[in-house]
Amino acid sequence: MNNLANSSTLVILLSPILNEARLSVANSYTKTRIRKITRLFGLIPLSSDSIASFYRKNAIVQIQTESGTYALKPFIRNLFLRSSTIHQIKTTADYIQLLMNSGFSYMPKWLTSNSGTLWTLNQGRPFYITAWIKGRNLENQEDFEKLGRALATLHTTSSRFLHTKGPFTLKQIRFWQIQDRLFRRRMAKAIQTNERNRGWYKKYGKSCKRLSDRAWTDLRNPEIVDLLEKELFRPALIHNDITSPNVIISDDGQLFIIDWDHIKIGSVYVDVAKALMNTTQFNPDFIQSLLKGYEELYPLDRTERKLISSLYGLPREAWQATRFPNRPRSREMLDIMEQTWLLRLKAMDLLDEWTNQ
């Protein structure tokens, strides 16, 4: 299986559902353009295939060369940041170089271009090339323990070399509080005007508000407030997009995390909470395994566990769906939330038990 193509297993919630469709090079990047870019990394392509994701036709290009198989990827700018695409790729490359120098082994090797950078510019867009990882998706408890160890290694390795101060988690919480307030206003309007989703909001809207209210109450706990203040002096790199399609178990059993476009200095607690939501599919064995692997290298005290549990319970999918209520993807997210609602509540109970152990 390639880096971005997924199996037929349902990947729920915020994790994109990816297609295995392959596009001809003529319909994506031209052979000439691919050859020009790859030569800048010291490679001569023998053949290439454009791979489509759920959102983009040209998500990645698989390059066959005499020396092996590689992934050519256009860098995707984070629209939530005001900085330019060039500034973002430079920052990302600096973080990747830091991890490579530190011996971080859970990501594909990035190639260096002829100019000495980990990326190159072509027709105004940055591109980078990594080793191509052949393997499968997360399937069992051992896989999730590996993912937990990979995240803990990322968070602890990078923290030794960074000096940027926070607040990391608090900044994310404030952003989510804004999204929650917008959700409540949009939901009230949708009940009046959106016939298609009206039933869902009437059935689950109040429950979503209760989940948020519960989290905001927990996050005002003095112990958590004190933890967030101490976090100012504990910077760490986070992947910021741990989803099932972004984790691959290679043929030799090594776990790799791909798609590092959104790496940043941020909240390790947010990174763990999002990883739990976006990969485990509410499976209690997978949740416990991920946490077990993480705590083997990064033990968490009761307050830290409570913080992760509170962040996990936020109904972020509903917030996103309400932002664009008429989009098919929004309706799909609401349907998935409805189908998995009881599993979600059980997963929250499981995290509450983990917090109090």
Side-chain angles (χ1 to χ4, degrees):
M1 183 174 295
N2 57 57
N3 294 58
L4 286 179
N6 203 354
S7 66
S8 59
T9 304
L10 177 64
V11 180
I12 61 175
L13 302 172
L14 299 179
S15 180
I17 300 173
L18 301 178
N19 298 326
E20 290 189 349
R22 291 185 172 227
L23 304 181
S24 67
V25 175
N27 291 330
S28 52
Y29 301 114
T30 64
K31 292 182 179 180
T32 301
R33 188 179 185 189
I34 291 173
R35 186 180 300 110
K36 182 178 181 180
I37 296 172
T38 54
R39 282 180 177 273
L40 293 175
F41 289 86
L43 300 174
I44 300 177
L46 302 176
S47 63
S48 58
D49 285 304
S50 290
I51 308 299
S53 75
F54 185 77
Y55 293 108
R56 301 182 184 91
K57 285 186 177 181
N58 309 317
I60 200 166
V61 180
Q62 184 186 53
I63 308 291
Q64 299 287 349
T65 74
E66 290 185 354
S67 60
T69 306
Y70 298 89
L72 168 65
K73 191 176 184 301
F75 177 79
I76 305 302
R77 176 176 176 266
N78 187 342
L79 298 178
F80 287 105
L81 300 180
R82 296 180 180 179
S83 54
S84 68
T85 302
I86 300 301
H87 180 271
Q88 288 186 27
I89 183 61
K90 286 182 177 180
T91 301
T92 296
D94 286 344
Y95 292 153
I96 295 298
Q97 189 67 64
L98 184 154
L99 291 176
M100 291 173 61
N101 293 344
S102 303
F104 183 73
S105 61
Y106 292 99
M107 66 180 180
K109 180 181 178 181
W110 286 47
L111 273 62
T112 303
S113 69
N114 295 340
S115 63
T117 63
L118 296 177
W119 59 280
T120 191
L121 199 64
N122 181 270
Q123 297 182 18
R125 177 178 289 277
F127 287 83
Y128 61 90
I129 294 181
T130 71
W132 183 270
I133 306 301
K134 181 183 178 184
R136 58 174 175 81
N137 296 117
L138 297 162
E139 293 180 352
N140 53 53
Q141 290 175 250
E142 183 181 359
D143 293 342
F144 281 91
E145 283 191 33
K146 290 179 180 178
L147 176 57
R149 287 193 288 270
L151 277 176
T153 303
L154 169 65
H155 297 159
T156 55
T157 298
S158 59
S159 64
R160 300 199 303 269
F161 302 96
L162 300 172
H163 306 286
T164 303
K165 294 184 179 181
F168 310 112
T169 305
L170 188 59
K171 183 177 180 180
Q172 182 65 69
I173 289 172
R174 289 169 177 167
F175 175 73
W176 280 342
Q177 287 175 329
I178 293 173
Q179 287 192 316
D180 182 35
R181 289 194 292 270
L182 291 173
F183 165 75
R184 295 174 192 237
R185 290 201 293 266
R186 289 166 179 159
M187 184 179 66
K189 181 179 179 180
I191 290 176
Q192 300 296 326
T193 61
N194 192 310
E195 184 176 349
R196 183 183 181 190
N197 297 334
R198 182 181 301 155
W200 192 96
Y201 292 124
K202 286 185 175 181
K203 185 175 182 180
Y204 293 99
K206 290 183 178 179
S207 296
C208 287
K209 290 192 289 186
R210 282 196 294 270
L211 291 180
S212 298
D213 289 340
R214 171 186 170 181
W216 305 143
T217 299
D218 290 340
L219 294 172
R220 288 193 293 269
N221 182 290
E223 293 179 346
I224 290 183
V225 172
D226 182 61
L227 172 64
L228 297 182
E229 291 178 355
K230 293 178 180 178
E231 188 195 30
L232 293 174
F233 307 100
R234 295 171 56 187
L237 289 176
I238 65 172
H239 180 275
N240 203 33
D241 191 24
I242 299 292
T243 62
S244 294
N246 283 342
V247 182
I248 298 175
I249 307 297
S250 67
D251 290 345
D252 62 1
Q254 169 73 24
L255 182 141
F256 289 91
I257 301 172
I258 63 171
D259 197 358
W260 291 80
D261 290 30
H262 293 161
I263 185 176
K264 68 175 185 177
I265 301 175
S267 166
V268 300
Y269 309 113
V270 170
D271 215 25
V272 173
K274 291 170 67 175
L276 287 168
M277 179 60 72
N278 296 343
T279 64
T280 63
Q281 302 185 38
F282 304 116
N283 183 311
D285 293 331
F286 293 167
I287 293 173
Q288 291 174 327
S289 295
L290 193 157
L291 294 171
K292 176 184 176 183
Y294 190 87
E295 291 198 283
E296 285 179 6
L297 302 178
Y298 194 136
L300 300 163
D301 62 29
R302 185 181 183 280
T303 304
E304 291 176 306
R305 290 183 174 191
K306 184 63 177 177
L307 175 55
I308 291 172
S309 176
S310 299
L311 297 174
Y312 176 88
L314 292 169
R316 295 180 292 117
E317 314 90 292
W319 300 345
Q320 182 66 21
T322 309
R323 184 180 178 187
F324 305 105
N326 295 318
R327 292 185 179 180
R329 174 62 174 159
S330 296
R331 182 64 232 186
E332 177 186 339
M333 294 173 74
L334 295 179
D335 288 341
I336 292 174
M337 285 192 72
E338 182 170 10
Q339 295 163 13
T340 60
W341 188 261
L342 293 180
L343 294 175
R344 182 191 196 102
L345 297 182
K346 290 180 179 179
M348 292 176 63
D349 289 340
L350 174 66
L351 289 177
D352 284 341
E353 294 176 7
W354 169 69
T355 296
N356 294 316
Q357 286 177 355

